[in-house]
Amino acid sequence: MAARVIPVDPFDLVIFGATGDLAQRKILPALYRRFAEGQMPAGSRVIGAARTEFDKAGFRAFVDETLTACLDTDPPNPEIRAAFLDALDYVALDARGDQGWTALAALMRPDVVRAFYFSVGPSLFGALAERLGAHGMATPDTRIVVEKPFGHDLTTARALNATLAAHFRETQIYRIDHYLGKETVQNLMAVRFANVLFEPLWNARFIDHVQITVAETVGVGGRGPYYDRAGAMRDMVQNHLMQLLCLIAMEPPYCFDPDAVRDEKLKVIKALDPVARGDIVRGQYAGGAGAASYLDEVENPDSLTESYVALKVGISNWRWKGTPFYLRTGKRLRARASEIAVTFRDPPHSIFGEDAPWKANVLVIRLQPDEGMTLRVMIKEPGPGGMRLKDVALDMSFAEALGDDMHIPDAYERLIMDVIRGNQTLFMRGDEVEAAWAWTDPIIAEWQKTADTPRPYDPGSSGPDDALMLMHRDGRRWREIR
Ligand code: NAP
């Protein structure tokens, strides 16, 4: 089943940082795939920009190599590849200097959609916005795309919002959280709001608790210096897990409109309770079996930064009071797995007697790998011998349900095309980001004040043992990471 291609207007997309890791691994392959699907209309251009000196031909050769290295699907089609490379241009420029800016301004066309993708380190975001303004490229129709991290805390996020606001209106700013571009994450909204089945039960009366897990097997790798300043709380919870929590917990927006959706997400963030120290477990992976420890990888033997965090979060509103959300994320864990598990309460009365083996209904939404959903329900075990209950899985893999040839687009494919379409629904608004930092900052400040030491955990494990206690003491348990 081929994905439906929605046409967009011709566009000029400038990628600042076109020679960098993100551009090579994600942005350029995503654009190529959309091009191959026929979604880049004739006359559209992708203009690379970075300090590296390339002429047009040199940049095209660079992108050709990049695509060969980074496209994981379908054998390259030489004609499509050549046509895509034809749509590329390049300007060498320095975000902090004057070089290249006049040349870039001269390339811009007034009559097409114009977007600038800031795929450079966050310290350059302000410099780029200022130069776009100074060189007359911050026109009212221009869009800018800003990568994460959006600030390091509330103060820096506010300052960045103010810098961008000096040149661009909020409707022109697309703050990326690539989790929102994942098909399964968008599916959370479809499941909740396109079915009558779940919404009546979607509250503290019927839901016992929610678990959100984003587990990685990789360590910090080459991101050591950045990661050691950030940690799991800033790198994952403040943005990705927070977004997942919002989509699960928000009220139904009145329509699928960017501000209607983002208004509801913001209300959830504002209703989050402060997290008590005893409701958080921080961890740091130890070394073992030939694998380097966190401290070795970041080359900082005194680091107190967490590579794992688990926390219990309460939401003080009518819908959720009394239903805890347990969040956990970490590196070097047993498996790469992201999922949301919604555990329902037991029925008020068992007609099968007190001793009947009982398992609560659980709706599991798998974000990766094997995107899909499982609903665990109780049935009668077949055969004679009385009413024996058993819990079974109603299991749906999207790949199976939608057909094996259904290409699930990468998050960046969806998000870049939404920028071109001018649809901000899957991008974070400035006030949302600030509210998320306002909730996160006191948690981190407390750790810093008390010089809190993360608990070591074995690589390949499920995280520190203390994280188990976070749920055990509430009579609950984490789902296995596998
Ligand atoms: P990177 O590999 O270090 O690339 C940085 C890019 O910026 C390069 O193209 C570099 O090219 C360019 N650059 C550096 N200084 C410049 C200057 N003064 N003027 C113009 N261009 C300059 O970084 P990255 O990993 O691609 O990350 C880019 C952004 O995406 C960051 O904000 C990062 O936090 C975010 N991000 C990255 C990932 C990822 O998986 N990589 C994931 C999520 C978010 P030259 O050296 O040629 O100038």
Side-chain angles (χ1 to χ4, degrees), residues 169-202:
R169 281 173 287 116
E170 182 60 34
T171 49
Q172 297 177 273
I173 305 171
Y174 290 71
R175 293 175 194 79
I176 289 238
D177 183 321
H178 71 270
Y179 262 61
L180 289 177
K182 289 178 186 285
E183 283 289 319
T184 28
V185 173
Q186 294 164 53
N187 209 21
L188 290 175
M189 285 185 275
V191 167
R192 281 194 61 193
F193 304 127
N195 296 288
V196 75
L197 209 57
F198 301 110
E199 203 47 29
L201 305 179
W202 213 254

PDB file of all heavy atoms in Angstrom, residues 169-202:
ATOM      1  N   ARG A 169       7.780  35.922  13.865  1.00  0.00           N
ATOM      2  CA  ARG A 169       6.586  35.712  14.677  1.00  0.00           C
ATOM      3  C   ARG A 169       6.515  34.246  15.080  1.00  0.00           C
ATOM      4  O   ARG A 169       7.127  33.392  14.443  1.00  0.00           O
ATOM      5  CB  ARG A 169       5.331  36.085  13.881  1.00  0.00           C
ATOM      6  CG  ARG A 169       5.078  37.592  13.815  1.00  0.00           C
ATOM      7  CD  ARG A 169       3.934  37.932  12.876  1.00  0.00           C
ATOM      8  NE  ARG A 169       4.326  37.773  11.489  1.00  0.00           N
ATOM      9  CZ  ARG A 169       3.805  36.893  10.642  1.00  0.00           C
ATOM     10  NH1 ARG A 169       2.829  36.107  11.012  1.00  0.00           N
ATOM     11  NH2 ARG A 169       4.240  36.799   9.402  1.00  0.00           N
ATOM     12  N   GLU A 170       5.742  33.956  16.124  1.00  0.00           N
ATOM     13  CA  GLU A 170       5.626  32.572  16.606  1.00  0.00           C
ATOM     14  C   GLU A 170       5.146  31.639  15.484  1.00  0.00           C
ATOM     15  O   GLU A 170       5.568  30.487  15.397  1.00  0.00           O
ATOM     16  CB  GLU A 170       4.657  32.539  17.803  1.00  0.00           C
ATOM     17  CG  GLU A 170       4.479  31.175  18.449  1.00  0.00           C
ATOM     18  CD  GLU A 170       5.763  30.564  19.015  1.00  0.00           C
ATOM     19  OE1 GLU A 170       6.626  31.302  19.502  1.00  0.00           O
ATOM     20  OE2 GLU A 170       5.895  29.319  18.930  1.00  0.00           O
ATOM     21  N   THR A 171       4.286  32.140  14.613  1.00  0.00           N
ATOM     22  CA  THR A 171       3.760  31.295  13.534  1.00  0.00           C
ATOM     23  C   THR A 171       4.828  30.964  12.481  1.00  0.00           C
ATOM     24  O   THR A 171       4.593  30.162  11.594  1.00  0.00           O
ATOM     25  CB  THR A 171       2.582  31.982  12.821  1.00  0.00           C
ATOM     26  OG1 THR A 171       2.979  33.320  12.499  1.00  0.00           O
ATOM     27  CG2 THR A 171       1.341  31.988  13.676  1.00  0.00           C
ATOM     28  N   GLN A 172       5.996  31.601  12.588  1.00  0.00           N
ATOM     29  CA  GLN A 172       7.078  31.309  11.633  1.00  0.00           C
ATOM     30  C   GLN A 172       8.124  30.367  12.226  1.00  0.00           C
ATOM     31  O   GLN A 172       9.041  29.962  11.527  1.00  0.00           O
ATOM     32  CB  GLN A 172       7.765  32.629  11.230  1.00  0.00           C
ATOM     33  CG  GLN A 172       6.871  33.621  10.516  1.00  0.00           C
ATOM     34  CD  GLN A 172       7.609  34.917  10.223  1.00  0.00           C
ATOM     35  OE1 GLN A 172       7.651  35.831  11.033  1.00  0.00           O
ATOM     36  NE2 GLN A 172       8.221  34.998   9.057  1.00  0.00           N
ATOM     37  N   ILE A 173       7.995  30.065  13.531  1.00  0.00           N
ATOM     38  CA  ILE A 173       9.051  29.302  14.220  1.00  0.00           C
ATOM     39  C   ILE A 173       8.609  27.854  14.419  1.00  0.00           C
ATOM     40  O   ILE A 173       7.585  27.593  15.067  1.00  0.00           O
ATOM     41  CB  ILE A 173       9.384  29.959  15.581  1.00  0.00           C
ATOM     42  CG1 ILE A 173       9.766  31.430  15.376  1.00  0.00           C
ATOM     43  CG2 ILE A 173      10.518  29.199  16.278  1.00  0.00           C
ATOM     44  CD1 ILE A 173       9.899  32.232  16.672  1.00  0.00           C
ATOM     45  N   TYR A 174       9.379  26.937  13.890  1.00  0.00           N
ATOM     46  CA  TYR A 174       9.072  25.499  13.979  1.00  0.00           C
ATOM     47  C   TYR A 174      10.130  24.837  14.869  1.00  0.00           C
ATOM     48  O   TYR A 174      11.239  24.567  14.431  1.00  0.00           O
ATOM     49  CB  TYR A 174       9.069  24.875  12.574  1.00  0.00           C
ATOM     50  CG  TYR A 174       7.897  25.345  11.749  1.00  0.00           C
ATOM     51  CD1 TYR A 174       7.843  26.658  11.259  1.00  0.00           C
ATOM     52  CD2 TYR A 174       6.822  24.494  11.469  1.00  0.00           C
ATOM     53  CE1 TYR A 174       6.750  27.104  10.525  1.00  0.00           C
ATOM     54  CE2 TYR A 174       5.737  24.933  10.735  1.00  0.00           C
ATOM     55  CZ  TYR A 174       5.702  26.240  10.267  1.00  0.00           C
ATOM     56  OH  TYR A 174       4.622  26.679   9.552  1.00  0.00           O
ATOM     57  N   ARG A 175       9.769  24.609  16.154  1.00  0.00           N
ATOM     58  CA  ARG A 175      10.721  23.973  17.075  1.00  0.00           C
ATOM     59  C   ARG A 175      10.546  22.460  16.976  1.00  0.00           C
ATOM     60  O   ARG A 175       9.471  21.943  17.288  1.00  0.00           O
ATOM     61  CB  ARG A 175      10.461  24.428  18.521  1.00  0.00           C
ATOM     62  CG  ARG A 175      10.747  25.883  18.754  1.00  0.00           C
ATOM     63  CD  ARG A 175      10.350  26.304  20.159  1.00  0.00           C
ATOM     64  NE  ARG A 175      10.317  27.757  20.264  1.00  0.00           N
ATOM     65  CZ  ARG A 175       9.309  28.521  19.823  1.00  0.00           C
ATOM     66  NH1 ARG A 175       8.253  27.971  19.283  1.00  0.00           N
ATOM     67  NH2 ARG A 175       9.373  29.835  19.944  1.00  0.00           N
ATOM     68  N   ILE A 176      11.611  21.808  16.563  1.00  0.00           N
ATOM     69  CA  ILE A 176      11.509  20.360  16.297  1.00  0.00           C
ATOM     70  C   ILE A 176      11.597  19.544  17.575  1.00  0.00           C
ATOM     71  O   ILE A 176      12.494  19.766  18.395  1.00  0.00           O
ATOM     72  CB  ILE A 176      12.660  19.912  15.365  1.00  0.00           C
ATOM     73  CG1 ILE A 176      12.422  20.447  13.960  1.00  0.00           C
ATOM     74  CG2 ILE A 176      12.853  18.418  15.407  1.00  0.00           C
ATOM     75  CD1 ILE A 176      12.337  19.421  12.874  1.00  0.00           C
ATOM     76  N   ASP A 177      10.646  18.644  17.769  1.00  0.00           N
ATOM     77  CA  ASP A 177      10.862  17.509  18.665  1.00  0.00           C
ATOM     78  C   ASP A 177      10.552  16.315  17.770  1.00  0.00           C
ATOM     79  O   ASP A 177       9.386  16.038  17.478  1.00  0.00           O
ATOM     80  CB  ASP A 177       9.920  17.535  19.866  1.00  0.00           C
ATOM     81  CG  ASP A 177      10.225  16.387  20.810  1.00  0.00           C
ATOM     82  OD1 ASP A 177      10.524  15.287  20.323  1.00  0.00           O
ATOM     83  OD2 ASP A 177      10.175  16.578  22.038  1.00  0.00           O
ATOM     84  N   HIS A 178      11.599  15.630  17.308  1.00  0.00           N
ATOM     85  CA  HIS A 178      11.358  14.659  16.237  1.00  0.00           C
ATOM     86  C   HIS A 178      10.449  13.517  16.686  1.00  0.00           C
ATOM     87  O   HIS A 178       9.882  12.809  15.866  1.00  0.00           O
ATOM     88  CB  HIS A 178      12.679  14.129  15.646  1.00  0.00           C
ATOM     89  CG  HIS A 178      13.424  13.228  16.545  1.00  0.00           C
ATOM     90  ND1 HIS A 178      14.364  13.671  17.435  1.00  0.00           N
ATOM     91  CD2 HIS A 178      13.373  11.881  16.710  1.00  0.00           C
ATOM     92  CE1 HIS A 178      14.849  12.655  18.102  1.00  0.00           C
ATOM     93  NE2 HIS A 178      14.276  11.553  17.692  1.00  0.00           N
ATOM     94  N   TYR A 179      10.257  13.382  18.019  1.00  0.00           N
ATOM     95  CA  TYR A 179       9.318  12.349  18.471  1.00  0.00           C
ATOM     96  C   TYR A 179       7.917  12.612  17.930  1.00  0.00           C
ATOM     97  O   TYR A 179       7.168  11.693  17.642  1.00  0.00           O
ATOM     98  CB  TYR A 179       9.291  12.294  20.011  1.00  0.00           C
ATOM     99  CG  TYR A 179      10.179  11.198  20.517  1.00  0.00           C
ATOM    100  CD1 TYR A 179      11.541  11.225  20.229  1.00  0.00           C
ATOM    101  CD2 TYR A 179       9.671  10.123  21.223  1.00  0.00           C
ATOM    102  CE1 TYR A 179      12.364  10.208  20.643  1.00  0.00           C
ATOM    103  CE2 TYR A 179      10.497   9.107  21.645  1.00  0.00           C
ATOM    104  CZ  TYR A 179      11.840   9.151  21.353  1.00  0.00           C
ATOM    105  OH  TYR A 179      12.653   8.137  21.745  1.00  0.00           O
ATOM    106  N   LEU A 180       7.576  13.893  17.816  1.00  0.00           N
ATOM    107  CA  LEU A 180       6.231  14.234  17.344  1.00  0.00           C
ATOM    108  C   LEU A 180       6.043  13.877  15.873  1.00  0.00           C
ATOM    109  O   LEU A 180       4.914  13.794  15.386  1.00  0.00           O
ATOM    110  CB  LEU A 180       5.958  15.721  17.567  1.00  0.00           C
ATOM    111  CG  LEU A 180       5.780  16.129  19.025  1.00  0.00           C
ATOM    112  CD1 LEU A 180       5.580  17.630  19.133  1.00  0.00           C
ATOM    113  CD2 LEU A 180       4.607  15.398  19.653  1.00  0.00           C
ATOM    114  N   GLY A 181       7.154  13.672  15.147  1.00  0.00           N
ATOM    115  CA  GLY A 181       7.039  13.305  13.741  1.00  0.00           C
ATOM    116  C   GLY A 181       6.911  11.803  13.539  1.00  0.00           C
ATOM    117  O   GLY A 181       6.649  11.342  12.422  1.00  0.00           O
ATOM    118  N   LYS A 182       7.095  11.031  14.620  1.00  0.00           N
ATOM    119  CA  LYS A 182       6.996   9.571  14.474  1.00  0.00           C
ATOM    120  C   LYS A 182       5.539   9.187  14.245  1.00  0.00           C
ATOM    121  O   LYS A 182       4.652   9.668  14.941  1.00  0.00           O
ATOM    122  CB  LYS A 182       7.519   8.871  15.742  1.00  0.00           C
ATOM    123  CG  LYS A 182       9.029   8.951  15.922  1.00  0.00           C
ATOM    124  CD  LYS A 182       9.421   8.283  17.231  1.00  0.00           C
ATOM    125  CE  LYS A 182      10.897   8.446  17.534  1.00  0.00           C
ATOM    126  NZ  LYS A 182      11.771   7.596  16.741  1.00  0.00           N
ATOM    127  N   GLU A 183       5.355   8.297  13.299  1.00  0.00           N
ATOM    128  CA  GLU A 183       3.986   7.884  12.956  1.00  0.00           C
ATOM    129  C   GLU A 183       3.232   7.377  14.177  1.00  0.00           C
ATOM    130  O   GLU A 183       2.067   7.700  14.392  1.00  0.00           O
ATOM    131  CB  GLU A 183       4.018   6.770  11.900  1.00  0.00           C
ATOM    132  CG  GLU A 183       4.306   7.277  10.517  1.00  0.00           C
ATOM    133  CD  GLU A 183       3.147   8.079   9.921  1.00  0.00           C
ATOM    134  OE1 GLU A 183       1.997   7.687  10.097  1.00  0.00           O
ATOM    135  OE2 GLU A 183       3.427   9.108   9.295  1.00  0.00           O
ATOM    136  N   THR A 184       3.913   6.556  14.986  1.00  0.00           N
ATOM    137  CA  THR A 184       3.207   5.956  16.123  1.00  0.00           C
ATOM    138  C   THR A 184       2.856   6.985  17.177  1.00  0.00           C
ATOM    139  O   THR A 184       1.877   6.826  17.904  1.00  0.00           O
ATOM    140  CB  THR A 184       4.049   4.846  16.768  1.00  0.00           C
ATOM    141  OG1 THR A 184       5.412   5.146  16.533  1.00  0.00           O
ATOM    142  CG2 THR A 184       3.697   3.499  16.241  1.00  0.00           C
ATOM    143  N   VAL A 185       3.640   8.047  17.260  1.00  0.00           N
ATOM    144  CA  VAL A 185       3.337   9.087  18.242  1.00  0.00           C
ATOM    145  C   VAL A 185       2.094   9.856  17.789  1.00  0.00           C
ATOM    146  O   VAL A 185       1.178  10.120  18.577  1.00  0.00           O
ATOM    147  CB  VAL A 185       4.559  10.005  18.446  1.00  0.00           C
ATOM    148  CG1 VAL A 185       4.201  11.184  19.327  1.00  0.00           C
ATOM    149  CG2 VAL A 185       5.703   9.211  19.059  1.00  0.00           C
ATOM    150  N   GLN A 186       2.036  10.140  16.488  1.00  0.00           N
ATOM    151  CA  GLN A 186       0.813  10.784  15.976  1.00  0.00           C
ATOM    152  C   GLN A 186      -0.383   9.850  16.132  1.00  0.00           C
ATOM    153  O   GLN A 186      -1.519  10.273  16.323  1.00  0.00           O
ATOM    154  CB  GLN A 186       0.985  11.139  14.507  1.00  0.00           C
ATOM    155  CG  GLN A 186       2.029  12.206  14.294  1.00  0.00           C
ATOM    156  CD  GLN A 186       2.441  12.251  12.848  1.00  0.00           C
ATOM    157  OE1 GLN A 186       1.617  12.362  11.978  1.00  0.00           O
ATOM    158  NE2 GLN A 186       3.735  12.163  12.602  1.00  0.00           N
ATOM    159  N   ASN A 187      -0.072   8.568  16.064  1.00  0.00           N
ATOM    160  CA  ASN A 187      -1.143   7.592  16.188  1.00  0.00           C
ATOM    161  C   ASN A 187      -1.803   7.628  17.568  1.00  0.00           C
ATOM    162  O   ASN A 187      -2.955   7.234  17.722  1.00  0.00           O
ATOM    163  CB  ASN A 187      -0.569   6.198  15.918  1.00  0.00           C
ATOM    164  CG  ASN A 187      -1.610   5.289  15.357  1.00  0.00           C
ATOM    165  OD1 ASN A 187      -2.614   5.730  14.815  1.00  0.00           O
ATOM    166  ND2 ASN A 187      -1.399   4.012  15.520  1.00  0.00           N
ATOM    167  N   LEU A 188      -1.043   8.133  18.564  1.00  0.00           N
ATOM    168  CA  LEU A 188      -1.643   8.265  19.901  1.00  0.00           C
ATOM    169  C   LEU A 188      -2.903   9.128  19.815  1.00  0.00           C
ATOM    170  O   LEU A 188      -3.910   8.843  20.448  1.00  0.00           O
ATOM    171  CB  LEU A 188      -0.665   8.950  20.857  1.00  0.00           C
ATOM    172  CG  LEU A 188       0.561   8.167  21.274  1.00  0.00           C
ATOM    173  CD1 LEU A 188       1.474   9.038  22.109  1.00  0.00           C
ATOM    174  CD2 LEU A 188       0.126   6.942  22.044  1.00  0.00           C
ATOM    175  N   MET A 189      -2.818  10.173  19.006  1.00  0.00           N
ATOM    176  CA  MET A 189      -3.982  11.058  18.877  1.00  0.00           C
ATOM    177  C   MET A 189      -5.094  10.363  18.095  1.00  0.00           C
ATOM    178  O   MET A 189      -6.266  10.498  18.437  1.00  0.00           O
ATOM    179  CB  MET A 189      -3.570  12.365  18.213  1.00  0.00           C
ATOM    180  CG  MET A 189      -2.805  13.265  19.158  1.00  0.00           C
ATOM    181  SD  MET A 189      -2.425  14.889  18.452  1.00  0.00           S
ATOM    182  CE  MET A 189      -0.925  14.532  17.568  1.00  0.00           C
ATOM    183  N   ALA A 190      -4.708   9.607  17.048  1.00  0.00           N
ATOM    184  CA  ALA A 190      -5.737   8.902  16.274  1.00  0.00           C
ATOM    185  C   ALA A 190      -6.446   7.880  17.160  1.00  0.00           C
ATOM    186  O   ALA A 190      -7.683   7.794  17.160  1.00  0.00           O
ATOM    187  CB  ALA A 190      -5.102   8.218  15.069  1.00  0.00           C
ATOM    188  N   VAL A 191      -5.656   7.116  17.932  1.00  0.00           N
ATOM    189  CA  VAL A 191      -6.260   6.089  18.786  1.00  0.00           C
ATOM    190  C   VAL A 191      -7.221   6.727  19.784  1.00  0.00           C
ATOM    191  O   VAL A 191      -8.354   6.286  19.966  1.00  0.00           O
ATOM    192  CB  VAL A 191      -5.150   5.290  19.528  1.00  0.00           C
ATOM    193  CG1 VAL A 191      -5.742   4.453  20.655  1.00  0.00           C
ATOM    194  CG2 VAL A 191      -4.409   4.404  18.537  1.00  0.00           C
ATOM    195  N   ARG A 192      -6.772   7.810  20.398  1.00  0.00           N
ATOM    196  CA  ARG A 192      -7.621   8.429  21.427  1.00  0.00           C
ATOM    197  C   ARG A 192      -8.851   9.110  20.846  1.00  0.00           C
ATOM    198  O   ARG A 192      -9.940   8.990  21.400  1.00  0.00           O
ATOM    199  CB  ARG A 192      -6.813   9.473  22.206  1.00  0.00           C
ATOM    200  CG  ARG A 192      -5.903   8.878  23.238  1.00  0.00           C
ATOM    201  CD  ARG A 192      -5.412   9.975  24.180  1.00  0.00           C
ATOM    202  NE  ARG A 192      -6.509  10.610  24.895  1.00  0.00           N
ATOM    203  CZ  ARG A 192      -6.398  11.751  25.584  1.00  0.00           C
ATOM    204  NH1 ARG A 192      -5.246  12.378  25.606  1.00  0.00           N
ATOM    205  NH2 ARG A 192      -7.434  12.253  26.213  1.00  0.00           N
ATOM    206  N   PHE A 193      -8.663   9.843  19.747  1.00  0.00           N
ATOM    207  CA  PHE A 193      -9.735  10.753  19.335  1.00  0.00           C
ATOM    208  C   PHE A 193     -10.482  10.318  18.071  1.00  0.00           C
ATOM    209  O   PHE A 193     -11.407  10.993  17.643  1.00  0.00           O
ATOM    210  CB  PHE A 193      -9.180  12.167  19.165  1.00  0.00           C
ATOM    211  CG  PHE A 193      -8.499  12.676  20.413  1.00  0.00           C
ATOM    212  CD1 PHE A 193      -7.202  13.181  20.365  1.00  0.00           C
ATOM    213  CD2 PHE A 193      -9.139  12.612  21.643  1.00  0.00           C
ATOM    214  CE1 PHE A 193      -6.572  13.637  21.522  1.00  0.00           C
ATOM    215  CE2 PHE A 193      -8.512  13.067  22.801  1.00  0.00           C
ATOM    216  CZ  PHE A 193      -7.232  13.580  22.739  1.00  0.00           C
ATOM    217  N   ALA A 194     -10.061   9.174  17.474  1.00  0.00           N
ATOM    218  CA  ALA A 194     -10.808   8.705  16.298  1.00  0.00           C
ATOM    219  C   ALA A 194     -11.565   7.416  16.638  1.00  0.00           C
ATOM    220  O   ALA A 194     -12.140   6.792  15.767  1.00  0.00           O
ATOM    221  CB  ALA A 194      -9.858   8.469  15.126  1.00  0.00           C
ATOM    222  N   ASN A 195     -11.534   7.005  17.911  1.00  0.00           N
ATOM    223  CA  ASN A 195     -12.265   5.817  18.347  1.00  0.00           C
ATOM    224  C   ASN A 195     -13.137   6.187  19.533  1.00  0.00           C
ATOM    225  O   ASN A 195     -12.720   6.981  20.370  1.00  0.00           O
ATOM    226  CB  ASN A 195     -11.293   4.718  18.784  1.00  0.00           C
ATOM    227  CG  ASN A 195     -10.439   4.255  17.633  1.00  0.00           C
ATOM    228  OD1 ASN A 195     -10.915   3.584  16.725  1.00  0.00           O
ATOM    229  ND2 ASN A 195      -9.164   4.623  17.658  1.00  0.00           N
ATOM    230  N   VAL A 196     -14.277   5.560  19.614  1.00  0.00           N
ATOM    231  CA  VAL A 196     -15.154   5.868  20.745  1.00  0.00           C
ATOM    232  C   VAL A 196     -14.797   4.976  21.941  1.00  0.00           C
ATOM    233  O   VAL A 196     -15.159   5.217  23.073  1.00  0.00           O
ATOM    234  CB  VAL A 196     -16.633   5.695  20.317  1.00  0.00           C
ATOM    235  CG1 VAL A 196     -16.997   4.231  20.220  1.00  0.00           C
ATOM    236  CG2 VAL A 196     -17.555   6.433  21.252  1.00  0.00           C
ATOM    237  N   LEU A 197     -14.007   3.939  21.649  1.00  0.00           N
ATOM    238  CA  LEU A 197     -13.726   2.889  22.618  1.00  0.00           C
ATOM    239  C   LEU A 197     -12.968   3.361  23.851  1.00  0.00           C
ATOM    240  O   LEU A 197     -13.272   2.989  24.973  1.00  0.00           O
ATOM    241  CB  LEU A 197     -12.870   1.850  21.881  1.00  0.00           C
ATOM    242  CG  LEU A 197     -12.913   0.412  22.283  1.00  0.00           C
ATOM    243  CD1 LEU A 197     -14.316  -0.111  22.202  1.00  0.00           C
ATOM    244  CD2 LEU A 197     -12.004  -0.388  21.334  1.00  0.00           C
ATOM    245  N   PHE A 198     -11.935   4.179  23.630  1.00  0.00           N
ATOM    246  CA  PHE A 198     -11.003   4.458  24.717  1.00  0.00           C
ATOM    247  C   PHE A 198     -11.387   5.674  25.560  1.00  0.00           C
ATOM    248  O   PHE A 198     -11.218   5.666  26.773  1.00  0.00           O
ATOM    249  CB  PHE A 198      -9.590   4.656  24.152  1.00  0.00           C
ATOM    250  CG  PHE A 198      -9.097   3.463  23.396  1.00  0.00           C
ATOM    251  CD1 PHE A 198      -8.952   3.508  22.016  1.00  0.00           C
ATOM    252  CD2 PHE A 198      -8.800   2.276  24.056  1.00  0.00           C
ATOM    253  CE1 PHE A 198      -8.515   2.398  21.310  1.00  0.00           C
ATOM    254  CE2 PHE A 198      -8.363   1.164  23.359  1.00  0.00           C
ATOM    255  CZ  PHE A 198      -8.220   1.220  21.976  1.00  0.00           C
ATOM    256  N   GLU A 199     -11.859   6.738  24.904  1.00  0.00           N
ATOM    257  CA  GLU A 199     -12.001   8.012  25.594  1.00  0.00           C
ATOM    258  C   GLU A 199     -12.885   7.934  26.850  1.00  0.00           C
ATOM    259  O   GLU A 199     -12.545   8.540  27.866  1.00  0.00           O
ATOM    260  CB  GLU A 199     -12.479   9.078  24.611  1.00  0.00           C
ATOM    261  CG  GLU A 199     -12.153  10.500  25.002  1.00  0.00           C
ATOM    262  CD  GLU A 199     -10.715  10.754  25.454  1.00  0.00           C
ATOM    263  OE1 GLU A 199      -9.792  10.051  25.013  1.00  0.00           O
ATOM    264  OE2 GLU A 199     -10.533  11.654  26.294  1.00  0.00           O
ATOM    265  N   PRO A 200     -14.003   7.183  26.842  1.00  0.00           N
ATOM    266  CA  PRO A 200     -14.814   7.143  28.064  1.00  0.00           C
ATOM    267  C   PRO A 200     -14.060   6.547  29.260  1.00  0.00           C
ATOM    268  O   PRO A 200     -14.412   6.796  30.409  1.00  0.00           O
ATOM    269  CB  PRO A 200     -15.998   6.240  27.668  1.00  0.00           C
ATOM    270  CG  PRO A 200     -16.047   6.289  26.184  1.00  0.00           C
ATOM    271  CD  PRO A 200     -14.628   6.467  25.727  1.00  0.00           C
ATOM    272  N   LEU A 201     -13.043   5.724  28.971  1.00  0.00           N
ATOM    273  CA  LEU A 201     -12.286   5.083  30.055  1.00  0.00           C
ATOM    274  C   LEU A 201     -11.001   5.830  30.388  1.00  0.00           C
ATOM    275  O   LEU A 201     -10.242   5.420  31.253  1.00  0.00           O
ATOM    276  CB  LEU A 201     -11.912   3.650  29.645  1.00  0.00           C
ATOM    277  CG  LEU A 201     -13.055   2.733  29.218  1.00  0.00           C
ATOM    278  CD1 LEU A 201     -12.510   1.366  28.833  1.00  0.00           C
ATOM    279  CD2 LEU A 201     -14.052   2.585  30.357  1.00  0.00           C
ATOM    280  N   TRP A 202     -10.738   6.920  29.659  1.00  0.00           N
ATOM    281  CA  TRP A 202      -9.413   7.555  29.686  1.00  0.00           C
ATOM    282  C   TRP A 202      -9.321   8.554  30.838  1.00  0.00           C
ATOM    283  O   TRP A 202      -9.213   9.756  30.641  1.00  0.00           O
ATOM    284  CB  TRP A 202      -9.181   8.251  28.344  1.00  0.00           C
ATOM    285  CG  TRP A 202      -7.761   8.266  27.879  1.00  0.00           C
ATOM    286  CD1 TRP A 202      -6.936   9.357  27.892  1.00  0.00           C
ATOM    287  CD2 TRP A 202      -7.009   7.192  27.347  1.00  0.00           C
ATOM    288  NE1 TRP A 202      -5.710   9.007  27.389  1.00  0.00           N
ATOM    289  CE2 TRP A 202      -5.732   7.682  27.054  1.00  0.00           C
ATOM    290  CE3 TRP A 202      -7.278   5.840  27.095  1.00  0.00           C
ATOM    291  CZ2 TRP A 202      -4.717   6.895  26.521  1.00  0.00           C
ATOM    292  CZ3 TRP A 202      -6.282   5.058  26.558  1.00  0.00           C
ATOM    293  CH2 TRP A 202      -5.033   5.577  26.278  1.00  0.00           C
TER     294      TRP A 202
END
